[in-house]
Structures are given as structure tokens and as C-alpha cells.
Amino acid sequence: MKAFKILTREVIKVMYDIDSIVDRYSDDIFRAAYSYLNDVHEAQDVVSEVLMKFFSCCETLDIHTDEHLKAWLLRVAVNLSKNIIKSARWRKNVPQDDDYQAEFLWNESELDVKQALDKLPNEYRAVIYLYYYEGYKTTEIAQILELPKGTVVSRLDRARKKLGTLLADYGKESMA
Amino acid sequence: MNRISDLYDKVGLCADKKTELKAALKAKYPQYANDNVGSQEEIVLNKSDDIQTTPITASHGAQVRSRAAAGIAAAIMLTIGCGTYFMKHNSLKRDNDSSYVNSSEDGDDSTDILLTDDSSQGDYSVVTVDINDSASSRIYVIDDSLETDESVPVKTPLESALEIYGSSSKGESSSSKAAVNDSKPSDSSSKADGDVTVETDPSYDKSFTAAFCKKLDSRLFTAEWDEKTTDGKTYDGSSEPVERLPKGPDASIEYTEACHSNKRAIEVNGERLHTTEYYGSDKYETYYDDVPVEEYDGTKYYYVFDYINGEHPYVDEAPYTHHYLETEPSPFIRDNDTNNEQIYRMFFHMSLSPRELRLTKAETSSDEVKEYFSYSASEHPVLKGILFTNDMGDQLEYVLTYNKSTGMLKTVTVNANGKEAAVYTLTNFSESAGSVKAPDYNEFIELCIKENEKMRTHRFVTFDVELPADLTGEYTFELYKGDRLVDSKDYNSASSELWYNISTFSEELEHGESCTCTVKATNRQTGDSVEYCKYQVKSDSDTAKLTGDYNKQGLLDIASNSATQTQTSGLTYSGSFTEAYSGKLNSRYFHAYFIREVNGRTASYHYITADGDNVCTEYSEAGKLDPDETNNIKEYYNDDGIYTYRNGTFERRNGSSNPLSRANDSDNSLLRQKFFNTPADPKNMTFTKREKIKDESVTEYFTYNGQEYKFCYRENSGELVRIVNTTSNEEYTLISFSDHPEEVNCTAPEKRK
């Protein structure tokens, strides 16, 4: 009787569809990059680069679930964002204030939050985004950001405290 | 925090950009465009696990449902092949090459799967499985030419895993590994207890040869390496990798950061102040402005974190609770090999396998020392799919990595519902037992189960330590968990709080057991220590309870000792540094001066006074210690005696001796007072300790205005040799001094009439 074996792991291919991948994940990638870089143009470039990178090597990746795929994409996005921040270009050109806030149609309350987030260091914003928006656990964030879990916890804690202080001030101002 | 969600809800890539991006991607990767997706077909597994396929339209059709994705994957492979039976309980049947589907009963936990483009290419069958509600599809390529003997009993996944695991040959059939790996999907939710898969972690399947270069006179730690990877390529370099490694989601970045980056960060009050990262020979420094610095008595304190290869050395103990002086030496500079070993291990990601790293040779050149190490970790099978239920009722999946060559368990990863994940590093049981025997598979699994029973997560207990209200002085409080120092905090009278936040997860603290944490106090001025209190920390309840009482009296005792010693040196003298050592000796003026050295370089001044009519006070630049060229007669003193300088030459006066030498130590106190120039507040100078060192000299330490000074004397004569400011590293060398301190005045020398 015939039996069948999968030849090797390498020949197991995964077929991805560009439209669905872009529709499903481009916003997530954009948000991750934007939370890190706080720059729309740079974040758009990151989205493009991440997806180009993904389709260039997707057949060799060992990705089994949507969650895994999303985590992979976010991790690459964060890594690329880190590279941008390390680059001489970024160091020389201080990023301009983000004037695209109107494009996202934020209301006054959300703008307060955005201003408070802007005052956090880049890495803190990324942790906040991954924790509060994406809903990742600290351990998962540690894997995505390639940091020790303790560092993620401490950053999250400090970011919370700082946000609490900043937003409390905003609250007072708005009440006044 | 809902506002954060609302905020990011509105952030996204605009539609135009998406369209533009899709077009660009399709142009570059046309194979992934929608148009190239072939016809699809649908499969449904019925209750008896038979599978049928029917043609469906390209616009998607019926759906395939499977109670277990593992069954589906296996079923698809076997069905497309020729309708043979692959596993006992997942027998599949296929009528012909056409695709068909029969709907059948399915459970609530079914997974929707689409089967597409069934085709044969030579000896291979190709099948694509499209999981509904997912953006991804899978293509399985099946070797039709392989045959099996029905008489061969079908192995369970665990048996197959054991077979692979037991084989150490490099030529182990990758196909059989893959068969085991992929006969089930990796989704843990679809696995049953005992379904174990084994695969080799590619990240470990490589060998290293590394040379660590320690520059002797700098703080830069560099590393060179050669790395052979599974693809047979060799990477080397000391700056950037030659080529990106096929590892991890983004191989290049991971490689770069793992192998090149050594990072030091300085944090103050939780805020990042400054980071220094080394990428090979390149150094990147980042400064964060507007960060306050904690300052006590003129000394700035920073929180300094050291990262090696992205890992914090103290990660297990809440790194943010550690703080160090800025002067804490870099971990990249080690004077002894013990600490270097830690760096080597972290470089190689060797948390538990020191035996894998072997020193091959060491070289010493004029400016650096190189040590060559070999490192091999070629066999690290990974076990997946071991499911257990914890105390909370969650089903958890363990992923175990095992080093076959050393018999060491590397890591345990726990997954629950695809969301929870934690990595635990376990003490290797064979290592702790002193045995190098590798456990067999059964032992391995037992260990896993045992570990599951005491599984816990990192949790922290915070407890306050009550201090005496009238405590003064500066202390260091060290927290020991068992015998291991886990935290250290500085205290001075300006602060009043002392608290610790420690993890309840550690090697010392077993699940359900308690651990004794001891707080020891050390008076930083006297060096006296006392055990202040003990806490019992319980891991199951996450509580810390004080055992007995605080040793307040003991702490106050070492505080009073310090105060007593402080008072012993309270003398007041007037005068200034530059004039203190001018005076008369037997009706002649003598001179005394210091050579001030900073960082080994003569950089300051000295004063010279001379007898006779030609008295002068000279100021000399660094290194210009010779008398000036005048016809004036001057006398100078040194250890040998009195010299007369005349017309450019020195003549020693016969029978003379150094009139400034002293035989007792009592005068030193005067000297110190003069040196410190403490006219008003003698308490500013605090005697801290006295020690005798090997070269038969005596060293006394004084603290003055927050600066520590070290006075070095010759033991026999009591002569002051030098004074060193240990804070600024300035050094003062005494050339001569009056033997008659009572004649010391503080005025400029008078001219002889």
C-alpha cells in the first residue's frame, strides 16, 4: 500500500493573498510603527517595507496561525522602526511635530491622550500601544520587542504613571 | 485607558496608500495576487473520519470541517495521495483525482478549511489547505512514490518523537521529522494530551568560534566570531554580519542585536538618561534630556542597567529595583575570568550549559588579550504539544528544548489558548546531581509533569522595612534571599523609607514553600554590619511576614560607633594650603611644597621658599621643578639633607640631614588640618578608617566636605608620603615639611635682613 510522507519542511509552502494580507494587517503594522515613530510618512514606509519583506520570504516562514502571523509582522515593524531611529538620517533630522492628527479625526479628548503619549519615550509608546490596543500580554510584548519581560513591565508601569500624571493635568485644564 | 483604544482605532493606513501598496506588491510578487489562485475544492470530515471531495466553484464553495486540525492535515495529505490510511484513527479515503466534499456532523470546535488546487506533479501530490477566516493557505507537497509496509505498526506521535530524539546522527531523515511535525497542526487548542512533536530548533543548530578581545586600557568590550549556520555558510566579522541570517521573524535585526549589541543604560528615577550601545566597533550613545539626577551630599546617583546582548543580567530580579553608582564598573571590563564567563555565556545564549563553552587558547599582545572559545550546540531537539492542565483549569502547552550532548534542559515554554506565554529556565537536574548522564525520554516527560505541578508565574511581593526614627548616617541595606544577594539599597538620613519589591519566583523558593529573606545593614562610614531583620516570603500567598523584631538597637549601635569616631578628629587650625608649610627652622626659613598630580600627570604648582636675602616664592608650571637660573643662593631640602643651589648646581651640605623629617605621627594631625584648611567646622573632617598595607605604610582615610582623602605615611618615620583625593583622583606628594610645627606661621616668608 502506498503511504505518503511530506518530503521536508522546506517544501511545505503557505499561499498568501496580497489583498487579504494588506486589508487585514496593514493598519496594525501602521499603528505599531506610528506608535513607535510618531511620524505618518515613516510609518507608511515601514508598512510597505514590512509587507515587501514578508512576501519575499513568506514561503520559508513557519507560521501557523493568524496570531502568529500578526505577531511576526508587528515584530518586524518594531524592528524596522528601531532601525529608523538608530539611523543617522533620523538622528540628524529631528522629527517634526505630527501635523496629521486632523487626518485621523481625533476629538479633543483623544488629542489630549495623543499629546500625553507624545511626551513618552518611543519605546514606552510602543509598549502602551501593544498592551492597551493590541491586548498583548507583557510576555508577548517582550517577545515582540525583544526585551526582557521585566523591562516591559517596568516600562509599562512607568508609562502608566506618567500618563496618569499627564492626563490628570489635562483633566484639570479642561475642567478649568 | 479606553481613550487609548479610541485613539488608535482612528489610526490606520489610508485607502489610497493601501491601493498603492497592493499594486506595488502585486507587481513585485504576482504569484500572490488573487488572480493566480487556482480552483478550490472543499473537504468535510465525517464522523467516521472518511473524507470526500467534490469540485467547487472558484468563488469558494462548500466548506471542509474537521473536529481536529490534526486530523484534517493528515487526512488531506493521505487522501490526495491515493486514499490510503495514514493513521489508525484518521483513515481517509479518496475516490479519484477529482475533488469532492461531503458535509457531515461536526462539533462546535470545528475548523473550517478549504482545499484548493489538487494536482499531481510527477511523483508528488500538491494540495493547498485554506483555513477559513484566515488570510493564509497552506500547500502540502506529498511524495507519491514512497511506500510503506502495512505490517509495520503505526507509531504513535510520541513514539515517533522518541525515535527522532534518540537519533544523534546529523543525517537523520528530515522527512520523518517533518512527518511528525506536520502530521498535526501546531495549534495547541486542537491537540490532545500526549501528542508530542519534536523538531530541531534551528537557532541552536550552529557552532561558534569566537575570540573575545579585551582592550586593556579601555572599557570597550568587543567580540569577534565565526559562525557556521545550518545553510553551510560561514559568517564572520567584528563589525557587521557578512550576510543576514535566516533566523527569526527578521533575521538580520535579530542577528545584529544578538551578536553585536552591548548596551549600557543609565536611568534616574525610572527615566532613561543615557544609553550606550556597541555594535561591533561602532559606539552609539543616546542622551535623554531633562532627566533629574538624584544628588546626595554632592554625589550624583544614577540607576545603571547593563545589558549584554539585549539581556539584562538581573532580569530575574526586577531590574528596575537595582541601582548602582555611576562609577560601577562596566561588565565589559573584567579583571578576572569568573565574570567574563558570564559575558561569554550570555553572548552564546548559554544560560545553563557552561560545559558547551570551551577555552581553546589565549593570546596576549601589546594592548589586548584574546581568548578563543569554541561553542557547539548542534543538537537541541524541541518538544512541542505536551499539554497539561494547571491549577486554574487552563490547558497549557509545554515546549521543551533539550540539549542532547550535555543532558541539560534548556527552557520550558508555556502556552495557554495561544495567548499566554512564559519562559522558564529550569535548574538542570542532571547537572545539579553532578551527573552528565542525559535523561532518557521518559525522564524528560516526567520532569515536565513535575515542573507543571509547581508551575507559577513571576509575582512580586513588596514589603516595607521600618527603620529607627532617630537613625542618622549613611547605610547600605542588602537583601538576601537565602544566601544570595538579590537587592541593595543605599540609605542616608535624608531619606526615611526603605522597601523591597522581590520576585516570589526563584530557585530558592519552591512552590508552596517559604523563603527567608534577610536584610543586612552596613554603615558606609565605618564598614560595620548588622543583621537588621528577616522576612518570610511565601510563594503561594505572595506575602512577606516579618520574623521576630527589627534589630533597631544593633543598627543604632553601629551608628553611634561612627559618631564616636567622627568626634575624635575635631581640631581646628587656620591657614591655607599654599602657606601652611612655610616657616622658620633655626632662624632660617625652610620651604615646603607639594607636587600636585592629576591622573598621573604633574599638573599643578609648588612653592619654594629659601633662606638668605634671596628668598623668593616661586610658582612653577607642571614639570618645571628645577630652581630658576639666578645667582641667588638657595637652600633646598630633601630626604638626604640640605642642598645649596649656586650658579646652577646643587651642593650638599656636609653632615646635613633633612631638617623637615619627622619621627612621630602627632604632627600629621596638624598637617591634615592645614591641608584641609578647616578653620570653622572641624566636623567637616571625619576620620573613617586606618589600615596598614603591604609596603609597611599606613593609610588613613578622612572625609572632608563630602570628599574622601587618603593619607599615606611611612610606618616607621610617620612621614607623610602622599595624599590622594579618592573622589577626584588628585594626588598630592609631600616633598618636605617643617619639623617644628610650633613655628609654623601662616604668612608669606620674610626676607632675611
Side-chain angles (χ1 to χ4, degrees):
Chain A
M1 178 177 290
K2 260 188 166 183
F4 306 92
K5 291 183 178 180
I6 296 175
L7 292 177
T8 65
R9 298 190 63 194
E10 284 70 23
V11 299
I12 300 172
K13 301 180 188 300
V14 179
M15 182 67 82
Y16 296 97
D17 170 51
I18 288 175
D19 286 337
S20 59
I21 289 286
V22 172
D23 289 339
R24 288 171 63 91
Y25 298 114
S26 61
D27 287 341
D28 295 326
I29 300 168
F30 180 84
R31 278 190 288 263
Y34 182 75
S35 70
Y36 214 95
L37 300 168
N38 208 23
D39 185 290
V40 170
H41 291 301
E42 294 286 357
Q44 288 171 348
D45 290 345
V46 168
V47 175
S48 175
E49 196 168 345
V50 167
L51 292 177
M52 286 289 181
K53 187 182 288 285
F54 170 72
F55 282 107
S56 69
C57 64
C58 62
E59 295 185 11
T60 63
L61 298 175
D62 191 17
I63 293 177
H64 302 285
T65 65
D66 288 352
E67 280 297 316
H68 190 185
L69 174 59
K70 183 177 178 182
W72 188 96
L73 294 168
L74 292 181
R75 186 172 175 183
V76 176
V78 169
N79 284 337
L80 290 174
S81 300
K82 285 181 184 175
N83 281 3
I84 289 174
I85 288 178
K86 288 174 186 171
S87 67
R89 171 175 60 85
W90 182 272
R91 290 165 185 266
K92 289 177 183 175
N93 301 321
V94 178
Q96 300 297 316
D97 289 341
D98 187 7
D99 55 357
Y100 284 82
Q101 294 171 354
E103 182 176 321
F104 300 133
L105 302 176
W106 288 326
N107 57 34
E108 190 172 343
S109 169
E110 289 159 355
L111 276 175
D112 287 345
V113 177
K114 179 67 171 60
Q115 289 169 3
L117 287 171
D118 288 348
K119 293 183 179 179
L120 296 178
N122 298 335
E123 57 269 25
Y124 285 26
R125 282 202 303 271
V127 172
I128 287 288
Y129 164 72
L130 292 172
Y131 188 84
Y132 285 109
Y133 185 80
E134 292 292 350
Y136 283 112
K137 304 289 185 185
T138 53
T139 308
E140 295 166 324
I141 297 173
Q143 291 174 349
I144 291 174
L145 298 179
E146 296 173 302
L147 292 170
K149 183 184 175 185
T151 303
V152 173
V153 172
S154 63
R155 283 183 182 177
L156 187 61
D157 184 49
R158 292 166 193 158
R160 274 191 194 126
K161 289 176 181 174
K162 192 156 189 173
L163 276 180
T165 305
L166 293 169
L167 292 174
D169 292 341
Y170 285 125
K172 290 173 185 175
E173 288 175 9
S174 61
M175 287 182 69
Chain B
M1 293 302 174
N2 287 334
R3 283 191 286 178
I4 293 178
S5 296
D6 298 339
L7 172 76
Y8 280 115
D9 267 337
K10 297 179 180 177
V11 175
L13 195 64
C14 61
D16 292 344
K17 287 288 178 186
K18 286 182 182 176
T19 306
E20 185 181 326
L21 182 58
K22 286 176 184 177
L25 288 169
K26 287 176 181 176
K28 190 166 185 179
Y29 304 104
Q31 67 270 33
Y32 299 115
N34 257 342
D35 305 338
N36 294 333
V37 177
S39 61
Q40 297 178 338
E41 48 191 55
E42 183 176 73
I43 295 177
V44 171
L45 277 182
N46 58 21
K47 194 170 185 178
S48 62
D49 290 329
D50 287 340
I51 188 169
Q52 296 175 325
T53 60
T54 54
I56 59 176
T57 64
S59 60
H60 310 80
Q63 294 178 335
V64 181
R65 298 184 184 278
S66 170
R67 188 168 303 160
I72 284 294
I76 290 166
M77 288 185 284
L78 297 174
T79 303
I80 301 304
C82 272
T84 58
Y85 293 86
F86 178 67
M87 301 177 75
K88 285 178 178 176
H89 41 278
N90 268 334
S91 60
L92 306 170
K93 184 174 70 179
R94 181 180 178 188
D95 289 343
N96 49 47
D97 287 339
S98 62
S99 303
Y100 55 87
V101 165
N102 259 355
S103 175
S104 65
E105 182 184 353
D106 51 84
D108 292 337
D109 55 348
S110 62
T111 302
D112 295 338
I113 294 179
L114 283 178
L115 181 67
T116 64
D117 197 12
D118 175 21
S119 62
S120 278
Q121 300 175 0
D123 290 337
Y124 307 124
S125 289
V126 181
V127 63
T128 301
V129 176
D130 185 359
I131 301 175
N132 271 3
D133 196 28
S134 165
S136 63
S137 303
R138 297 177 188 285
I139 295 178
Y140 292 90
V141 180
I142 301 168
D143 186 356
D144 292 348
S145 63
L146 295 177
E147 307 238 355
T148 58
D149 185 352
E150 261 188 330
S151 62
V152 176
V154 177
K155 295 177 180 176
T156 66
L158 180 57
E159 288 170 337
S160 301
L162 287 170
E163 182 182 54
I164 293 172
Y165 182 77
S167 172
S168 59
S169 65
K170 193 75 178 175
E172 173 70 30
S173 168
S174 58
S175 62
S176 61
K177 290 183 181 181
V180 175
N181 286 336
D182 296 291
S183 60
K184 299 170 287 298
S186 61
D187 183 4
S188 61
S189 63
S190 62
K191 290 180 179 176
D193 284 8
D195 282 356
V196 180
T197 63
V198 177
E199 60 188 28
T200 299
D201 184 352
S203 64
Y204 289 104
D205 193 10
K206 58 194 175 188
S207 60
F208 287 94
T209 300
F212 288 85
C213 307
K214 294 178 289 183
K215 290 187 178 178
L216 298 181
D217 295 321
S218 76
R219 292 189 159 233
L220 178 61
F221 176 86
T222 62
E224 300 170 354
W225 63 92
D226 297 313
E227 179 177 353
K228 292 181 179 178
T229 62
T230 50
D231 58 5
K233 296 180 181 177
T234 299
Y235 301 91
D236 59 65
S238 57
S239 56
E240 290 296 323
V242 176
E243 193 173 336
R244 295 183 168 189
L245 279 179
K247 170 188 172 186
D250 190 339
S252 62
I253 296 172
E254 183 169 341
Y255 179 81
T256 299
E257 294 194 345
C259 295
H260 290 268
S261 175
N262 290 314
K263 182 176 180 180
R264 158 166 280 211
I266 298 176
E267 295 188 2
V268 178
N269 294 333
E271 297 295 332
R272 183 63 52 87
L273 177 67
H274 174 230
T275 59
T276 305
E277 294 180 74
Y278 296 99
Y279 289 87
S281 58
D282 296 327
K283 178 181 178 182
Y284 296 95
E285 291 189 89
T286 305
Y287 292 89
Y288 298 84
D289 295 327
D290 302 322
V291 177
V293 177
E294 288 184 352
E295 188 166 349
Y296 298 108
D297 295 333
T299 302
K300 293 178 179 178
Y301 288 81
Y302 302 94
Y303 289 84
V304 180
F305 297 158
D306 292 318
Y307 295 86
I308 303 174
N309 293 334
E311 295 290 332
H312 195 293
Y314 309 101
V315 63
D316 287 336
E317 293 296 339
Y320 45 89
T321 64
H322 290 259
H323 66 284
Y324 303 89
L325 285 178
E326 186 187 19
T327 53
E328 181 79 6
S330 163
F332 311 129
I333 285 294
R334 301 294 187 189
D335 294 326
N336 59 73
D337 186 56
T338 303
N339 291 329
N340 276 332
E341 187 176 324
Q342 181 187 11
I343 295 177
Y344 304 150
R345 291 184 194 179
M346 302 199 76
F347 180 86
F348 292 118
H349 307 286
M350 296 166 53
S351 58
L352 282 174
S353 49
R355 274 174 268 172
E356 292 171 305
L357 183 67
R358 288 179 170 79
L359 175 66
T360 56
K361 64 176 180 178
E363 294 175 351
T364 305
S365 62
S366 58
D367 62 343
E368 66 182 17
V369 177
K370 284 186 178 181
E371 292 177 336
Y372 293 85
F373 292 86
S374 64
Y375 174 65
S376 178
S378 59
E379 292 292 337
H380 285 79
V382 176
L383 283 158
K384 287 184 177 178
I386 304 169
L387 299 179
F388 297 100
T389 303
N390 68 2
D391 297 339
M392 305 297 291
D394 298 327
Q395 193 176 50
L396 307 176
E397 177 188 354
Y398 278 71
V399 178
L400 307 178
T401 304
Y402 179 76
N403 185 342
K404 187 174 189 298
S405 59
T406 62
M408 292 183 178
L409 183 64
K410 299 292 286 188
T411 58
V412 175
T413 302
V414 180
N415 286 305
N417 304 323
K419 295 290 285 184
E420 299 285 348
V423 178
Y424 297 125
T425 302
L426 305 179
T427 301
N428 178 264
F429 64 95
S430 63
E431 182 184 42
S432 61
S435 169
V436 296
K437 180 181 78 69
D440 63 29
Y441 228 60
N442 292 330
E443 290 174 338
F444 197 45
I445 300 300
E446 285 176 5
L447 178 66
C448 173
I449 297 171
K450 183 179 178 183
E451 185 61 27
N452 178 61
E453 292 171 348
K454 57 182 180 181
M455 184 194 67
R456 57 204 179 276
T457 59
H458 276 273
R459 287 180 295 199
F460 296 91
V461 172
T462 302
F463 59 89
D464 297 324
V465 177
E466 182 182 324
L467 298 174
D470 51 349
L471 181 66
T472 59
E474 297 179 348
Y475 304 87
T476 298
F477 287 89
E478 295 175 330
L479 177 67
Y480 290 84
K481 188 186 284 184
D483 297 329
R484 188 162 64 97
L485 176 65
V486 296
D487 199 359
S488 175
K489 289 190 172 187
D490 291 338
Y491 170 92
N492 61 31
S493 53
S495 62
S496 59
E497 294 181 350
L498 180 65
W499 56 274
Y500 290 100
N501 184 25
I502 66 168
S503 168
T504 61
F505 176 79
S506 71
E507 295 173 3
E508 293 87 349
L509 199 57
E510 298 296 331
H511 183 61
E513 297 176 355
S514 62
C515 176
T516 301
C517 293
T518 307
V519 177
K520 292 182 180 177
T522 301
N523 187 319
R524 294 211 298 272
Q525 295 168 328
T526 65
D528 295 337
S529 296
V530 65
E531 187 176 293
Y532 186 62
C533 62
K534 287 186 176 181
Y535 278 84
Q536 285 293 116
V537 177
K538 292 186 177 181
S539 63
D540 53 352
S541 60
D542 293 337
T543 58
K545 185 178 181 182
L546 176 66
T547 303
D549 296 326
Y550 295 112
N551 185 11
K552 293 184 178 179
Q553 188 55 50
L555 185 58
L556 291 173
D557 286 344
I558 63 172
S560 60
N561 291 340
S562 171
T564 301
Q565 294 203 21
T566 301
Q567 293 170 359
T568 58
S569 57
L571 297 174
T572 303
Y573 288 87
S574 61
S576 67
F577 170 72
T578 56
E579 297 173 342
Y581 311 110
S582 300
K584 288 181 180 179
L585 176 66
N586 296 331
S587 300
R588 290 185 302 146
Y589 292 100
F590 69 95
H591 62 265
Y593 56 88
F594 289 95
I595 301 170
R596 183 172 179 234
E597 293 181 336
V598 178
N599 295 329
R601 184 172 57 86
T602 303
S604 188
Y605 44 79
H606 64 278
Y607 275 77
I608 300 175
T609 65
D611 60 359
D613 295 333
N614 303 311
V615 172
C616 64
T617 301
E618 295 180 352
Y619 176 80
S620 182
E621 293 290 338
K624 297 178 181 177
L625 302 180
D626 290 338
D628 60 354
E629 291 291 337
T630 68
N631 291 324
N632 298 329
I633 299 173
K634 298 178 181 177
E635 286 187 346
Y636 296 88
Y637 309 93
N638 63 15
D639 289 342
D640 296 327
I642 301 172
Y643 285 80
T644 300
Y645 180 76
R646 191 190 306 270
N647 295 327
T649 60
F650 284 102
E651 293 176 7
R652 183 173 182 270
R653 189 177 296 178
N654 290 334
S656 66
S657 61
N658 181 3
L660 309 182
S661 64
R662 294 164 301 110
N664 60 74
D665 184 53
S666 59
D667 295 330
N668 281 329
S669 60
L670 173 64
L671 180 77
R672 291 193 295 270
Q673 306 307 321
K674 292 293 185 182
F675 181 80
F676 286 126
N677 186 22
T678 57
D681 185 6
K683 293 179 183 177
N684 286 344
M685 187 173 75
T686 303
F687 173 71
T688 55
K689 63 180 177 180
R690 180 188 178 96
E691 61 185 17
K692 182 179 178 181
I693 52 181
K694 286 182 179 178
D695 60 358
E696 296 184 344
S697 63
V698 177
T699 302
E700 291 178 334
Y701 290 84
F702 294 87
T703 301
Y704 176 67
N705 281 345
Q707 304 276 311
E708 185 186 56
Y709 292 84
K710 180 170 69 175
F711 285 73
C712 303
Y713 309 97
R714 290 200 173 93
E715 186 182 32
N716 294 330
S717 64
E719 180 185 356
L720 179 65
V721 179
R722 61 197 173 98
I723 303 169
V724 179
N725 183 327
T726 60
T727 305
S728 64
N729 205 30
E730 293 179 349
E731 182 170 325
Y732 305 84
T733 303
L734 178 66
I735 302 302
S736 59
F737 183 65
S738 170
D739 197 22
H740 295 265
E742 67 277 10
E743 295 186 13
V744 170
N745 61 47
C746 300
T747 60
E750 300 173 8
K751 288 185 179 181
R752 174 185 280 182
K753 294 180 180 177

